[in-house]
Amino acid sequence: MKDTFFWKKRTLNCDGEILLLDEPLVMGILNVTNDSFFDGGKYTDEPHVVARATQILEEGGTIIDVGGASSRPGATPVPQEEELARVIPAIKAIKKEFPASIISIDTYRSEVARQAAGAGAAIINDIAAGCLDKKMFNTVAELQLPYIMMHMQGEPGTMQHQPQYKDVVLEVFDYFYERIQQLQTAGVNDIIIDPGFGFGKTLEHNYSLLNAVGEMQQFGCPVLVGFSRKSMINQLLGTTPAQALNGTTVLNTMALQKGANILRVHDVKEAVEAVKIYTFAANNS
């Protein structure tokens, strides 16, 4: 890990809409897939997509994260044409109903990112941080949209097959350092980092990274965390994804206390409540 510190980013330019990061934000998940681990198959037509977007916004979510290819452990890759056929109509439907909404596109493909931006997406959320599509960094630089880059060891189909690190925190930090440098060289201005909880990590790896969220502030980039109903809760508590809301809220609160800027969640209302309580307490300490 390099001993380098960056200026702390406090705004995101989302295609002309400025998002302030003075307080933590909530990103609501909208998976237009059939096989996501928690909500697969719920939002596969326009009325259900719009209803979910409405729910996210009404419950206080700031960003709607649209994904058309499941990245759950063991997931089979979706052809690009199918991913596009899922996400582009969804993005257009949301923007038609809510023109001012801020949509992120959850994809590791540069062409999907490009077409999604053309349809109205204003943030690129890449689980592979450019590792699965070498054109991604240049595409994001051309689009000049905020870029969320996540750490993942391997790829979804194999990432949970005995992941190994000598030092998970050190290796993830070095990964971010190197890729932030590459992105800045390419001309990307707004970079968000995501430790990738559950993506090529054991239970112990995940909690080591949770404990290091505070140290991630040194990169000067907003930090996004995604714990929502994941196995790092269920393995520990013996719960299922359907039973993991309480565990999710606990982890979200811990991450907020360590300086996380964006919570990516299925349950927007509960995450917004956690942010409100945390923010009020922090302002009255």
Side-chain angles (χ1 to χ4, degrees):
M1 182 171 57
K2 313 296 190 301
D3 186 19
T4 303
F5 291 81
F6 300 82
W7 173 72
K8 183 67 174 177
K9 188 78 173 170
R10 284 297 176 190
T11 61
L12 296 174
N13 185 348
C14 301
D15 197 26
E17 180 76 19
I18 304 300
L19 276 187
L20 299 178
L21 296 169
D22 294 335
E23 294 184 358
L25 306 178
V26 174
M27 169 189 282
I29 298 169
L30 203 174
N31 288 320
V32 286
T33 61
N34 294 318
D35 57 347
S36 293
F37 80 95
F38 176 63
D39 57 1
K42 281 188 173 183
Y43 312 113
T44 55
D45 57 41
E46 183 173 324
H48 287 94
V49 165
V50 171
R52 172 59 176 161
T54 302
Q55 179 187 24
I56 290 171
L57 296 173
E58 287 183 348
E59 292 184 354
T62 301
I63 305 166
I64 302 169
D65 191 43
V66 176
S70 175
S71 56
R72 62 177 174 77
T76 302
V78 172
Q80 178 172 292
E81 295 73 17
E82 185 174 349
E83 185 180 0
L84 285 167
R86 293 173 176 179
V87 301
I88 300 304
I91 292 168
K92 288 181 176 179
I94 297 167
K95 292 299 286 187
K96 180 181 178 181
E97 189 72 19
F98 303 105
S101 61
I102 297 175
I103 298 172
S104 62
I105 175 64
D106 181 358
T107 186
Y108 59 80
R109 293 181 168 122
S110 60
E111 183 59 26
V112 175
R114 185 183 300 278
Q115 291 195 36
I123 300 173
I124 311 301
N125 182 11
D126 180 5
I127 63 168
C131 293
L132 295 181
D133 187 335
K134 300 305 180 184
K135 297 179 181 179
M136 181 61 90
F137 282 12
N138 286 336
T139 298
V140 175
E142 291 171 17
L143 294 172
Q144 281 299 300
L145 296 177
Y147 180 61
I148 303 167
M149 66 165 177
M150 191 189 78
H151 176 273
M152 174 174 60
Q153 188 180 86
E155 54 188 53
T158 60
M159 63 188 180
Q160 288 304 105
H161 294 173
Q162 298 182 323
Q164 296 182 3
Y165 302 85
K166 291 183 178 178
D167 183 322
V168 65
V169 173
L170 183 64
E171 291 179 44
V172 170
F173 275 46
D174 277 347
Y175 177 91
F176 282 143
Y177 175 84
E178 292 170 2
R179 301 200 78 71
I180 287 170
Q181 297 302 306
Q182 293 174 25
L183 284 163
Q184 291 177 334
T185 299
V188 178
N189 296 314
D190 289 341
I191 304 166
I192 302 102
I193 59 175
D194 175 355
F197 295 101
F199 284 79
K201 282 100 178 172
T202 64
L203 184 66
E204 292 76 14
H205 294 150
N206 284 318
Y207 283 91
S208 293
L209 284 170
L210 169 61
N211 289 328
V213 165
E215 298 172 40
M216 293 176 194
Q217 308 303 316
Q218 69 176 273
F219 292 110
C221 300
V223 177
L224 179 150
V225 295
F227 307 110
S228 191
R229 298 181 179 268
K230 286 184 176 178
S231 62
M232 66 182 288
I233 301 164
N234 301 318
Q235 287 180 24
L236 196 59
L237 301 182
T239 50
T240 65
Q243 300 166 328
L245 175 55
N246 185 56
T248 300
T249 301
V250 172
L251 292 181
N252 283 336
T253 303
M254 292 176 69
L256 290 171
Q257 292 172 328
K258 296 176 185 296
N261 302 100
I262 304 173
L263 305 178
R264 182 180 182 272
V265 299
H266 297 93
D267 306 283
V268 173
K269 177 178 179 290
E270 290 80 0
V272 168
E273 290 175 349
V275 168
K276 286 182 178 178
I277 292 171
Y278 160 74
T279 303
F280 186 83
N283 290 337
N284 288 274
S285 59

